[in-house]
Amino acid sequence: MARLGVNIDHVATLRNARGGVEPDPVAAAAIAELAGADQITIHLREDRRHIQDRDLKILRQTVKTRLNLEMAATDEMIAIALKVKPECCTLVPEKRAELTTEGGLDVRIHQDALKVAIEKLQAGGIIVSLFIDPDPDQIKAANKIGTDYIEIHTGSFADAPTWREENQELIKIENAVKLARKLEIGVNAGHGLNYTNVKKVAAIGGIEEFNIGHSIMSRAILVGLDRAVRDMSELVRYA
């Protein structure tokens, strides 16, 4: 069965909107774990727009499952990761103006820098994943530089305006999973997945972990975080 990673960034976004202390992403992580989350995912951005360094430090002390740190492959972030020691680091592209991550890394262009980052993190005992589009050339480049995992960017699938385009994107994801597994790379997936579309991706098989945030937090406003996590966990595990 696939694992569910719950991204709690939006809890910090809501807290920061008022400059206060509520809601607390640390408390949200604890509730998510009790509801069945296999992993807590956070993105420490360069501009600290949501998750703060203090959040990361406390979460490292309190998370009981696994902590997945999404981050840019910069010297600052690598140093932070090596100090905090999350179980996994997912390297992602990052732009200050974007609302959320807009597509996968271009591993082919940045493979030298990414290779250095991967080697430093792995030497520190951290599993490394690269957030990439379901593109065979990107997967081959990721394999060449020694990543442990890839996380397939499912945004184009989630945003497809017609069922035909959605199906085309789903085929790309399926082919990406097959290639990665052939190359013996672990496969995760995330971005834009919700309670309606996640079953189609989970049904492919071969994806070890789904990292989902916005959809879970949106439902949590209506039904509570415990129920939102349990519902998503069931969809991911039993598709």
Side-chain angles (χ1 to χ4, degrees):
M1 294 185 293
R3 300 186 299 267
L4 174 62
V6 176
N7 187 311
I8 59 171
D9 290 351
H10 291 294
V11 179
T13 298
L14 183 58
R15 175 197 61 191
N16 297 350
R18 293 289 294 268
V21 297
E22 297 179 326
D24 184 357
V26 175
I31 293 170
E33 287 188 306
L34 288 171
D38 302 291
Q39 175 171 278
I40 300 301
T41 295
I42 57 173
H43 185 171
L44 185 66
R45 284 180 172 268
E46 180 187 13
D47 60 10
R48 307 302 198 270
R49 70 177 67 170
H50 36 63
I51 295 295
Q52 307 294 306
D53 294 75
R54 180 177 180 273
D55 298 325
L56 173 59
K57 181 179 179 180
I58 297 174
L59 285 165
R60 176 62 290 177
Q61 296 171 349
T62 57
V63 166
K64 304 301 183 185
T65 54
R66 288 160 40 103
L67 183 62
N68 173 33
L69 176 61
E70 295 182 345
M71 60 183 232
T74 63
D75 291 340
E76 179 197 15
M77 290 300 161
I78 292 169
I80 289 172
L82 290 173
K83 181 178 180 179
V84 175
K85 299 281 190 178
E87 278 76 19
C88 177
C89 284
T90 301
L91 303 182
V92 302
E94 189 174 304
K95 300 175 185 175
R96 279 184 176 268
E98 66 188 3
L99 293 176
T100 186
T101 305
E102 300 172 346
L105 288 164
D106 193 330
V107 184
R108 293 180 300 171
I109 290 179
H110 302 292
Q111 60 181 318
D112 291 341
L114 288 171
K115 187 174 188 296
V116 171
I118 289 170
E119 290 174 347
K120 287 181 178 179
L121 293 169
Q122 289 174 335
I126 300 170
I127 296 169
V128 182
S129 178
L130 299 181
F131 186 71
I132 62 176
D133 294 323
D135 179 325
D137 290 334
Q138 296 293 345
I139 295 169
K140 291 174 185 176
N143 180 59
K144 182 179 179 181
I145 60 174
T147 189
D148 300 299
Y149 280 81
I150 60 167
E151 180 169 334
I152 297 174
H153 174 239
T154 52
S156 295
F157 160 77
D159 296 335
T162 68
W163 71 267
R164 287 187 177 86
E165 290 172 274
E166 181 186 82
N167 189 57
Q168 290 171 352
E169 294 300 328
L170 194 62
I171 291 170
K172 290 180 184 178
I173 294 170
E174 183 174 7
N175 290 336
V177 173
K178 289 179 180 177
L179 176 58
R181 289 179 65 83
K182 181 179 179 180
L183 296 172
E184 299 184 347
I185 304 172
V187 184
N188 303 327
H191 199 82
L193 297 175
N194 58 41
Y195 293 85
T196 301
N197 63 25
V198 71
K199 291 178 70 174
K200 295 180 180 179
V201 181
I204 291 173
I207 298 174
E208 298 182 31
E209 175 183 286
F210 291 85
N211 287 298
I212 303 173
H214 186 268
S215 181
I216 292 175
M217 297 308 159
S218 297
R219 177 165 288 203
I221 292 173
L222 304 177
V223 304
L225 183 56
D226 180 273
R227 172 70 180 276
V229 172
R230 290 182 189 277
D231 288 349
M232 183 61 78
S233 179
E234 184 173 348
L235 290 172
V236 166
R237 297 179 202 280
Y238 303 109

